[in-house]
Amino acid sequence: PVLVIGRIHAHTVGGGVGLACAVDIAYAHEKASARLSELAIGIGPFVVGPAVERKVGTGIFGLLSASPALRREADWCVQRGLYAEIFPTIEALDARIDAHTKELAAYSPEAMAELKRVMWKGTEDWDQLLIERAKISGRLVLSDFTREAIAKFKAAMDSGKHKARVEKDAEVANKAGVSRTPSFVINGYYISGAQPISAFKKVINRAMKEAK
């Protein structure tokens, strides 16, 4: 086990909030608002729920889940423990992450591994829990409500009403080298699409060796 630092540079939605909560320490840009949007399309944040609830508590998880249209600003996220700290510029964000990773590299790997186990105590059943949660989402996504919500989304996209916003987001993604979702960047290594845990372990181990 290793400590994982997350970098949240912009607005994060749904599964992105789950990822921000799944890391051990999340640093974010001051514009990195957060929103759990799943309920708006007839499902719920069931798969990411355990990670979010562990990070911010049941009450805040419930609030985020039940207000899918509302963006929570970055300072709100800091106050609730979702983010550790926020920064006014991307440069300041990256500098903090660089400094913290270098600091951690000087500490005992064995001690940090034990710390990680303590921090994540009580999550041992998550492999099975997440499968059960995914089944709930799979059932709900076939409902009439969700089908109608997705149809409305497609109609809005086809209308061009949100074209400018979509193109702006696409520009940010292109600059970061991201061409699809989900995408992950680990110490400069790019992982594209849904991948098995073995793919992440391989990249993480390679990055760790290069950092020594």
Side-chain angles (χ1 to χ4, degrees):
V2 296
L3 296 177
V4 178
I5 295 177
R7 175 187 184 275
I8 297 86
H9 67 273
H11 178 56
T12 181
V13 183
V17 177
L19 286 173
C21 291
V23 301
D24 298 301
I25 301 167
Y27 291 123
H29 187 270
E30 64 179 14
K31 297 298 183 182
S33 53
R35 179 166 63 98
L36 286 177
S37 59
E38 289 87 347
L39 193 62
I41 59 170
I43 55 175
F46 301 110
V47 176
V48 303
V52 180
E53 186 175 0
R54 170 188 168 274
K55 196 68 172 286
V56 302
T58 303
I60 297 301
F61 167 62
L63 177 62
L64 286 167
S65 301
S67 51
L70 181 60
R71 288 191 179 199
R72 305 289 176 173
E73 298 301 326
D75 57 351
W76 186 94
C77 295
V78 170
Q79 294 168 15
R80 273 73 182 180
L82 201 158
Y83 301 153
E85 194 174 350
I86 56 175
F87 301 86
T89 66
I90 293 295
E91 290 76 16
L93 170 62
D94 289 343
R96 180 67 183 104
I97 292 173
D98 184 61
H100 199 169
T101 52
K102 288 179 179 176
E103 177 189 353
L104 290 174
Y107 297 150
S108 164
E110 292 79 12
M112 287 190 289
E114 291 299 331
L115 176 61
K116 176 105 174 185
R117 292 188 181 96
V118 170
M119 291 166 61
W120 287 85
K121 183 179 180 180
T123 65
E124 294 81 7
D125 65 335
W126 277 19
D127 285 348
Q128 182 59 38
L129 175 62
L130 296 182
I131 292 174
E132 295 172 0
R133 293 291 187 86
K135 289 179 179 179
I136 298 175
S137 294
R139 173 172 53 82
L140 291 175
V141 80
L142 298 176
S143 68
D144 291 339
F145 185 99
T146 299
R147 290 176 185 273
E148 292 175 6
I150 293 175
K152 291 178 181 178
F153 173 80
K154 290 181 177 179
M157 290 294 293
D158 292 341
S159 71
K161 179 180 179 181
H162 306 287
K163 183 179 179 180
R165 293 179 62 182
V166 171
E167 289 180 344
K168 183 178 180 180
D169 286 346
E171 182 181 354
V172 172
N174 289 334
K175 288 181 178 178
V178 175
S179 59
R180 59 186 294 187
T181 59
S183 294
F184 308 87
V185 180
I186 302 173
N187 280 30
Y189 290 105
Y190 178 60
I191 298 178
S192 177
Q195 300 290 336
I197 189 63
S198 59
F200 289 89
K201 288 182 177 179
K202 183 178 179 180
V203 171
I204 291 172
N205 288 335
R206 183 190 305 169
M208 287 177 63
K209 289 180 180 178
E210 292 177 355
K212 292 181 179 179

